[in-house]
Amino acid sequence: MSELFPLTPELARKIVSQLERGTCPLEGVLALNVGRAPYFGAADDILEDIQQVGGAVVRFIRGDYGEGKTHFIAMVRALAIKRNWVTTYVCLSDEVRLDRFQEVYA
């Protein structure tokens, strides 16, 4: 992992607990990523471009259950946090609808 995201015993237990429930952990995801370095290298290049121009982006990810959406978001979030950026993760549902921005923002 890295010194920025140390894998502590507490974090390891949290990761295992989330995996047992069938969910991808947002924290500690760097310890779980295997074999996708080219994808996240490209994502980090995009973050570098954003940093160079001083902007911000919003991206929506859509896919079927189990395709790795949460893992992908968690990895990009970790890359952004390494840059001391602020990130937000919102999972849309029947209760949190995209067309009601005040709900998403809350």
Side-chain angles (χ1 to χ4, degrees), residues 6-71:
L7 185 59
T8 63
E10 294 80 18
L11 181 56
R13 282 191 289 278
K14 185 176 180 178
I15 290 170
V16 169
S17 174
Q18 287 182 280
L19 291 173
E20 286 175 337
R21 289 187 309 229
T23 60
C24 177
L26 292 178
E27 294 178 69
V29 71
L30 293 175
L32 300 174
N33 189 56
V34 176
R36 293 193 172 113
Y39 297 113
F40 296 112
D44 200 43
D45 290 345
I46 292 169
L47 296 179
E48 179 64 27
D49 291 344
I50 294 165
Q51 186 169 339
Q52 293 297 320
V53 299
V57 294
V58 174
R59 293 290 184 254
F60 298 95
I61 304 209
R62 184 175 138 187
D64 290 332
Y65 181 81
E67 288 187 338
K69 299 175 299 295
T70 304
H71 179 76

Side-chain angles (χ1 to χ4, degrees), residues 66-83:
E67 288 187 338
K69 299 175 299 295
T70 304
H71 179 76
F72 178 77
I73 286 294
M75 284 296 296
V76 173
R77 177 181 172 264
L79 294 172
I81 289 172
K82 279 185 172 183
R83 296 172 178 274

